[in-house]
Amino acid sequence: MWTFHAMNTEIAVAAPDLDEAAELALAHRIARLFARVERQFSRFRDDSELGELNRAIAPITVSPDMLEILLRARAHVRASEGVFDPAVGAALAAAGYDRSFAPGALDRTSIDGAALPAHFADVWIEEPTRRVFRPPHVQLDFGGFLKGRTVDLAAALAPGGCVMVDAGGDARLVGDGPEGEGWLVDVEDPTDPQAVVATLRLRDRAIATSAANRRHWQVGDTTAHHLIDPRRGAPAVTDLAQVTVVAETTEQADVLAKVAFVLGEEDGTAWLRGRPGIGAVLVRRDGTTKIVGELEVAHA
Amino acid sequence: MTEHRLTPIELRLYAVTIVAIGYVIAWAAIGGGGRGEPAPPVARVAPAAPPSLAPPPGWRVVTSPMPTPAVTRAPATRPLRVRTRSS
């Protein structure tokens, strides 16, 4: 297994069917992919294409990669009826997430004011010419959705066999795992990072988790976090502490986990059950857990 | 009335001031670096035509490379499994 640091998290790559040299070469290819994607789509880099788009005051021509991400984002926005919305960049910044996250770095005594309501549907995309116009109040932030998409692209770089690409807990698991009995995934307890609420066994699946326990900061006496409810333009208020979703792709798992977290237990459960082939582990704020859909639980 | 004698530091300050004044006069005489052309009035920038960030057709923006992160071997004791959490 090989690791590197990108997108403000540790990326782990393992391909137990490959010899060491081939596995290392794969890890290097994946590291280059992550570097390229981060360079292009970081909200915090002035020279990124996303930074350029977020500053543009007139329609601009975007790259094919950017167009593809925008179209994929739009599909998720429509499928979730706006509960997933990457136009929350301004709301994130207004809530205090205005620089790359580090524990304590975003703490402040107050915030300057609320962001204007912004919706991805306000972004004008002309597919044939790749011309895009973003209204000034809309700031795009692809966040975990982009990380999930990159994990999926990274796993596709493997020549075959068993592959694990794990980006800080958002992972794509190809094949039957190193022992042929499925990949084991520990679902962390959001109230105790040393503890596990369940261990899952996955084959050819992807997994992603949304919770507010890691990326949070203080605004005066209140705690803010990075999971914005686009309907309110502010950090989500929910009865869930964590949502872990197992899906076909990491991108899908990330979006579904985020939406279920924002919707809360009742609506989130109903929403997940309406999607075939999806499994989920919900952790309520009181620490109890709930399994949704079909999941092979190795230990609970 | 006592005679005031300039100290060496004061003499140097006077000299620097005189040189600076001469430099400014000469700079103004040759056109202030504008090669003799008057500076364009601000009003010439049409407010209805903001700068476009899109490159012209056939052009593309060349970006500076981002260093590829260093790949290191995970400790042999680390189990080959995933620990999922919000990140």
Side-chain angles (χ1 to χ4, degrees), chain A residues 1-5 10 14 20 32 35 39 52 57 61 131 147 164 168-169 178 184-186 188 193-196 199 209 211 214-215, chain B residues 49-55 61-75 77-87:
Chain A
M1 179 162 46
W2 302 87
T3 64
F4 60 89
H5 200 81
E10 183 196 68
E20 182 178 313
R32 285 194 294 273
R39 166 76 179 75
E52 184 184 352
I57 56 176
T61 303
R131 299 282 286 173
K147 185 167 69 175
M164 176 194 84
L184 291 175
V185 180
D186 295 322
E188 187 175 282
Q194 305 304 315
V196 169
T199 298
T209 294
R214 285 180 180 269
R215 296 199 183 209
Chain B
S52 171
L53 297 178
V61 176
V62 176
T63 55
S64 59
M66 183 170 181
T68 302
V71 176
T72 57
R73 184 194 295 278
T77 55
R78 180 169 167 173
L80 200 54
R81 61 202 286 169
V82 174
R83 187 179 185 87
T84 189
R85 72 274 186 191
S86 186
S87 60

Side-chain angles (χ1 to χ4, degrees), chain A:
Chain A
M1 179 162 46
W2 302 87
T3 64
F4 60 89
H5 200 81
M7 295 187 180
N8 208 18
T9 193
E10 183 196 68
I11 316 294
V13 177
D17 292 343
L18 300 180
D19 61 35
E20 182 178 313
E23 188 184 51
L24 177 59
L26 174 65
H28 277 296
R29 289 182 70 195
I30 291 174
R32 285 194 294 273
L33 169 69
F34 268 88
R36 181 177 65 78
V37 172
E38 189 170 13
R39 166 76 179 75
Q40 188 170 11
F41 294 103
S42 172
R43 180 166 67 97
F44 304 110
R45 289 178 62 99
D46 286 340
D47 58 350
S48 71
E49 186 180 5
L50 181 61
E52 184 184 352
L53 178 57
N54 274 338
R55 288 191 307 273
I57 56 176
I60 67 170
T61 303
V62 299
S63 68
D65 289 343
M66 176 65 83
L67 179 67
E68 189 210 359
I69 288 295
L70 289 168
L71 295 178
R72 297 181 85 90
R74 187 168 68 182
H76 291 303
V77 170
R78 289 173 176 171
S80 68
E81 298 177 349
V83 180
F84 168 80
D85 195 321
V88 296
L92 271 170
Y97 197 171
D98 53 4
R99 71 202 76 161
S100 196
F101 181 81
L106 306 183
D107 291 352
R108 63 201 65 208
T109 55
S110 64
I111 54 177
D112 294 335
L116 288 171
H119 304 286
F120 191 82
D122 297 334
V123 177
W124 174 79
I125 304 170
E126 189 179 76
E127 288 185 52
T129 60
R130 302 201 310 273
R131 299 282 286 173
V132 175
F133 177 66
R134 173 200 55 81
H137 66 288
V138 174
Q139 291 289 299
L140 299 173
D141 177 57
F142 297 127
F145 149 72
L146 178 70
K147 185 167 69 175
R149 172 68 179 155
T150 311
V151 168
D152 293 331
L153 293 173
L157 292 175
C162 285
V163 176
M164 176 194 84
V165 180
D166 174 10
D170 292 2
R172 182 75 177 262
L173 302 160
V174 182
D176 287 333
E179 309 296 331
E181 297 176 344
W183 294 91
L184 291 175
V185 180
D186 295 322
V187 180
E188 187 175 282
D189 184 340
T191 63
D192 178 6
Q194 305 304 315
V196 169
V197 296
T199 298
L200 310 176
R201 197 182 294 277
L202 303 180
R203 296 173 179 84
D204 290 320
R205 305 291 279 167
I207 192 164
T209 294
S210 279
N213 61 317
R214 285 180 180 269
R215 296 199 183 209
H216 60 82
W217 57 94
Q218 289 299 123
V219 178
D221 295 331
T222 62
T223 300
H225 61 81
H226 71 297
L227 294 169
I228 297 292
D229 183 346
R231 301 166 299 182
R232 299 174 53 246
V237 178
T238 172
D239 55 356
L240 293 173
Q242 179 173 284
V243 176
T244 296
V245 169
V246 174
E248 191 173 339
T249 68
T250 323
E251 174 188 342
Q252 186 186 23
D254 180 270
V255 171
L256 296 181
K258 205 160 277 152
V259 170
F261 182 89
V262 169
L263 288 175
E265 181 182 354
E266 186 176 346
D267 291 345
T269 299
W271 197 76
L272 289 170
R273 284 191 170 135
R275 271 135 193 92
I278 300 299
V281 180
L282 276 52
V283 181
R284 304 180 185 93
R285 291 174 68 91
D286 64 6
T288 58
T289 61
K290 176 181 184 178
I291 303 290
V292 177
E294 296 293 322
L295 284 178
E296 186 178 349
V297 181
H299 307 288

